Amino acid sequence: MQYVSDLLPGLATTFSLWLFILAIGVPGGIVFGYLLRYGHSVVKIFILVLTNFGRGFPGLAVVYLVYTGMPGVGILLSGFQAVVIALGFMTVAYTAEIFRSAIHKVPQSQTEAAMALGLSFWKTQIKIILPQALRSVLPSLLAFSVLVLQATALGYAVGLRELTGLSYNFGSITFQALPYMVAAGVIYLAGCLCISTFASRLKLEYRRPKGRSRRVDRASASASIASNA
Amino acid sequence: MIWLIDLLRVVPLTLMLWGVSFVTGAIIAVFVAAARMSTYRMLRVSATVFIETLRGIPTLVWLFIVFFGIVQFGFSPTATASAIIALSLSCSVYLAEVYRSGISSVDKQQREATQALGLPRLISMVKIILPQARPIILAGMGTFAIHLLKETALVSLLGVVDIMNIANYLVQQGENGLSVFFAAGLIYMVLCVPIAIVARLLGDIQIKRGGKPAVRNDADSGSQILKTG
């Protein structure tokens, strides 16, 4: 228990990392999703290339790339900023496709009805399409935010004193590396369980209860698609 | 660009880590999935706890826990050995969930029919259920194989001399961080391509044999959503 309380300052850093990353990543994902749906084809290709890099690179490579690469072009970043930018970029890359398909899935008739009422494009999107898209995407977004929480552990690589970095530090000072690491793992686990419990509650509220599939992972998603087909 | 050769020289090690962890994980996953779907409550609960725990802890923290944990028991593992153990275990829980969601995607009536025919459970699983679940399982395995390859980048933080470790060393020697880490990330991306192709080919074989056209991978599932939606 003492180990857990020692690590609480690290939890604060981890949590603020998580918030900053999501604050950059989710709006960015919406913008990219819109550009993928409605943008000019040159813009689309550019964004596709960018998001494929964001999804194809290991997280660690992106973090190092931002942390050690940016000073080379004259931008000096702290470890915290580097992790937020790197993981924020990856969140944008991963969520852009989620948002694109969510926007696409809102029936075309909704747009046509709005047009018939004389609403402008932006008003249609903000008042009609986006709320529906966000609602449908919320469970998978929450599931993704669990992955973001786990990815903040990469802060250790650039010397950040978040949960992992701090427990490694304490571990090497006190020679009790294992208890501190396990304590860090327990804290991450508690955080992830909180988010995924919240997500499954939300899912039950929004959709018909579906018994077995507790999380929106790819496997079960593809299973449900297959059963639809 | 002479450093590129240094990076490429350790590609086999990364592939070895990936291959060994994936195969070991896939084998352990069979037992985990069997326990998860067992009729014995104790087995089912303990498998669920095991799966949720490993999924809730970041891979980096899990790597450290396994490394320090083995040291605690009086062994002195090499970083590579403990990395393989940690990655295999974390691989096994994800693949167990892939197996499970594939098997539970098969219609319940199929299993009931085999029971009515008096087939033993093992034969009904191997002859009836698994062939139908195979496309979904293979799709999930392919996705996870790519994920695991990117995950192996983390072992550099444990001291294994893999691509990221060499890249880090090169940058400390004064190479340009932007280009070195970009090249390292590109190597991972290129390594993912054959995996994606193999996963897709395996899915295609299944279709030709007359299995039901299930979802093969993300791109296809996207087009399938368009068709059904």
Side-chain angles (χ1 to χ4, degrees), chain A:
Chain A
M1 213 51 223
Q2 176 229 330
Y3 299 114
V4 173
S5 59
D6 277 352
L7 292 178
L8 287 181
L11 178 62
T13 317
T14 292
F15 188 65
S16 52
L17 270 175
W18 182 71
L19 279 183
F20 273 112
I21 292 165
L22 288 181
I24 290 181
V26 174
I30 295 177
V31 171
F32 271 37
Y34 260 102
L35 289 174
L36 276 176
R37 177 83 177 85
Y38 292 108
H40 190 263
S41 56
V42 178
V43 179
K44 265 186 205 167
I45 291 169
F46 175 70
I47 287 177
L48 274 179
V49 170
L50 215 58
T51 51
N52 272 311
F53 276 127
R55 301 196 301 184
F57 274 33
L60 189 61
V62 182
V63 169
Y64 276 141
L65 189 68
V66 173
Y67 186 61
T68 65
M70 286 294 124
V73 291
I75 306 168
L76 228 65
L77 294 171
S78 70
F80 190 89
Q81 291 163 330
V83 172
V84 167
I85 290 172
L87 295 182
F89 167 65
M90 291 187 75
T91 308
V92 170
Y94 275 100
T95 53
E97 194 58 34
I98 299 178
F99 281 118
R100 188 201 62 81
S101 69
I103 295 162
H104 190 88
K105 260 191 252 170
V106 177
Q108 185 71 31
S109 50
Q110 304 260 344
T111 318
E112 285 160 9
M115 243 161 80
L117 287 172
L119 288 181
S120 70
F121 176 78
W122 286 114
K123 213 158 193 180
T124 312
Q125 297 304 325
I126 291 166
K127 296 251 176 190
I128 295 166
I129 309 295
L130 207 52
Q132 297 184 60
L134 283 181
R135 208 182 156 90
S136 71
V137 106
L138 204 55
S140 52
L141 213 57
L142 278 168
F144 187 77
S145 73
V146 172
L147 297 183
V148 172
L149 182 66
Q150 298 189 351
T152 57
L154 290 176
Y156 162 78
V158 294
L160 220 55
R161 293 205 170 191
E162 39 69 74
L163 220 38
T164 315
L166 196 67
S167 68
Y168 192 88
N169 264 5
F170 275 128
S172 47
I173 293 168
T174 59
F175 292 104
Q176 286 182 309
L178 185 63
Y180 273 112
M181 257 316 148
V182 171
V186 168
I187 297 175
Y188 279 114
L189 190 61
C192 293
L193 285 182
C194 282
I195 302 172
S196 60
T197 312
F198 180 63
S200 57
R201 280 255 176 89
L202 224 86
K203 208 170 148 191
L204 285 180
E205 229 169 83
Y206 279 170
R207 296 176 182 178
R208 235 159 12 96
K210 242 188 176 181
R212 58 162 197 272
S213 60
R214 272 194 54 220
R215 284 190 188 169
V216 190
D217 53 10
R218 282 226 179 116
S220 65
S222 59
S224 67
I225 293 166
S227 61
N228 285 341

Side-chain angles (χ1 to χ4, degrees), chain B residues 188-205:
Chain B
Y188 281 100
M189 264 180 97
V190 170
L191 290 178
C192 287
V193 173
I195 303 172
I197 291 173
V198 168
R200 177 173 284 232
L201 283 179
L202 286 173
D204 278 345
I205 290 168

Side-chain angles (χ1 to χ4, degrees), chain A residues 52-62 64-66 68-70 72-73 94 100 104-105 146-147 149-151 153-157 164 168 177-179 181-182 184-186 188-189 192-193 196 212-215 217-220 222-223 225-229, chain B residues 48 52-61 64-66 68-69 72 94 97-98 100-101 104-105 136 139-140 143 147 149-151 153-154 156-157 164 168 171 176-186 188-189 192 212-215 218 221 224-226 228:
Chain A
N52 272 311
F53 276 127
R55 301 196 301 184
F57 274 33
L60 189 61
V62 182
Y64 276 141
L65 189 68
V66 173
T68 65
M70 286 294 124
V73 291
Y94 275 100
R100 188 201 62 81
H104 190 88
K105 260 191 252 170
V146 172
L147 297 183
L149 182 66
Q150 298 189 351
L154 290 176
Y156 162 78
T164 315
Y168 192 88
L178 185 63
M181 257 316 148
V182 171
V186 168
Y188 279 114
L189 190 61
C192 293
L193 285 182
S196 60
R212 58 162 197 272
S213 60
R214 272 194 54 220
R215 284 190 188 169
D217 53 10
R218 282 226 179 116
S220 65
S222 59
I225 293 166
S227 61
N228 285 341
Chain B
T48 310
E52 293 295 323
T53 308
L54 252 68
R55 274 162 56 129
I57 294 176
T59 313
L60 180 59
V61 176
F64 280 131
I65 289 177
V66 169
F68 295 138
Q72 202 83 356
Y94 284 96
E97 287 293 277
V98 168
R100 189 175 68 91
S101 66
S104 49
S105 74
I136 288 167
T143 313
H147 176 73
L149 183 68
K150 291 189 282 176
E151 208 88 305
L154 293 176
S156 66
L157 295 173
M164 291 308 295
N168 219 354
V171 172
N176 181 2
L178 212 53
S179 48
V180 171
F181 282 117
F182 189 73
L186 266 188
Y188 281 100
M189 264 180 97
C192 287
K212 68 175 176 182
V215 185
D218 294 332
S221 70
Q224 212 143 20
I225 291 167
L226 297 189
T228 51

